[in-house]
Amino acid sequence: MARRLFRIGGWAALVAAVLAAATAVTAGVFGVLALTGKAAYPVDYSAGPLHFRDALTVQVVTASPVCQEFDIRRLLPNEYPGNGDFCYKLVQDGGEQIIHDGVVSQEESIRPTEAMLTGEVRLATTGGWNSWVAAQVVKNVVIGAVITTWLLLLWRLLAASAAGDAFSSRTVRLLRALGWLTIAAALLAPALDHFTGAHQVGGLHFASYGEPVLEPVGTEGYPGGVGLAQVALGVLVLLVAEIFRHGAEIEDERRLTV
């Protein structure tokens, strides 16, 4: 039963690896077409049952205070009594509210004071060379290659386990490769964000006017922003590899004894 599950998991990992590789290659092809002026973003391509969609996005953030007093009869932010700045109308659900002449106020031990909203802005291109677009294409291809490699290693590991070769030097090598690749991916992600950002390659600038003001989210810099949880997962896989190495040594001794 366990071998059957390993076999099914291995095939699932292989299929996922093929899809990840196909997505990375397709993204690279359409990226080259866009940079040479033969296509444009967003990409929306269908071929029979297959569908590929890709878009360029920029993460943005906006933050504004939450009104502790506002007139519910007025809709324009600049007409709030006693507050000439933009603010969000939000009160704690279930809290004690005081409404007098249409003005809502709330004085509770827990109340909203500031809201920070994050999201993404989708970009469209007319085709042709742009350094930032080129950097994003390279970034997407690299990420796709890392994911494909990780899935292929997982496929080989599960295939070895399904063949009854769980405690072997081959399994140990695969586990070590998975662990180191997981750690490398955690270090690579912020590096890609940093070195493919608009502040590094240029070609992309924004100016926001009026309310709300949308500010592009800057990267934390490198080596900041490394996913410590992912690094810890990679270290855990390496520790498991050492356990399997010990198990492989015991298995070799047992075979020699027999």
Side-chain angles (χ1 to χ4, degrees):
M1 183 62 181
R3 290 190 179 185
R4 178 178 295 180
L5 292 177
F6 285 140
R7 189 175 296 108
I8 293 174
W11 281 110
L14 179 60
V15 172
V18 171
L19 292 177
T23 301
V25 171
T26 305
V29 170
F30 278 104
V32 172
L33 291 177
L35 292 171
T36 56
K38 299 179 181 178
Y41 285 99
V43 174
D44 197 341
Y45 178 77
S46 297
L50 302 178
H51 183 74
F52 178 78
R53 178 177 297 173
D54 193 13
L56 298 173
T57 61
V58 173
Q59 298 297 314
V60 293
V61 61
T62 182
S64 290
V66 175
C67 299
Q68 296 303 317
E69 183 177 286
F70 56 88
D71 193 333
I72 60 177
R73 298 167 303 180
R74 301 177 180 179
L75 301 178
L76 297 178
N78 58 3
E79 293 184 4
Y80 292 156
N83 194 333
D85 299 327
F86 177 82
C87 62
Y88 293 111
K89 304 189 296 287
L90 180 67
V91 294
Q92 176 190 346
D93 187 23
E96 182 180 354
Q97 300 175 16
I98 302 174
I99 303 179
H100 180 69
D101 292 336
V103 177
V104 176
S105 60
Q106 184 177 35
E107 294 293 337
E108 284 293 307
S109 58
I110 300 178
R111 60 184 182 177
T113 59
E114 184 180 14
M116 179 173 290
L117 309 180
T118 60
E120 63 180 23
V121 173
R122 295 191 175 185
L123 309 177
T125 67
T126 56
W129 175 259
N130 180 280
S131 57
W132 181 80
V133 175
Q136 301 310 301
V137 173
V138 172
K139 173 183 174 181
N140 292 336
V141 172
V142 170
I143 292 175
V146 171
I147 294 175
T148 300
T149 304
W150 197 93
L151 289 170
L152 288 175
L153 289 172
L154 179 61
W155 162 60
R156 293 184 60 190
L157 177 63
L158 293 173
S161 300
D165 206 15
F167 293 99
S168 65
S169 58
R170 177 189 179 191
T171 302
V172 173
R173 288 195 302 270
L174 291 172
L175 281 171
R176 286 175 176 171
L178 276 174
W180 285 116
L181 182 59
T182 301
I183 295 174
L187 301 176
L188 180 63
L192 284 175
D193 288 338
H194 178 72
F195 292 108
T196 62
H199 62 289
Q200 291 285 346
V201 298
L204 189 69
H205 304 280
F206 291 99
S208 181
Y209 301 94
E211 295 287 357
V213 176
L214 298 178
E215 294 289 344
V217 178
T219 61
E220 298 184 48
Y222 189 74
V226 173
L228 297 180
Q230 187 173 341
V231 173
L233 177 61
V235 172
L236 179 60
V237 174
L238 292 177
L239 292 176
V240 172
E242 290 304 306
I243 295 174
F244 272 70
R245 181 186 63 80
H246 182 65
E249 292 176 353
I250 295 176
E251 181 66 17
D252 290 341
E253 292 178 0
R254 186 189 66 80
R255 290 175 180 175
L256 290 175
T257 303
V258 174

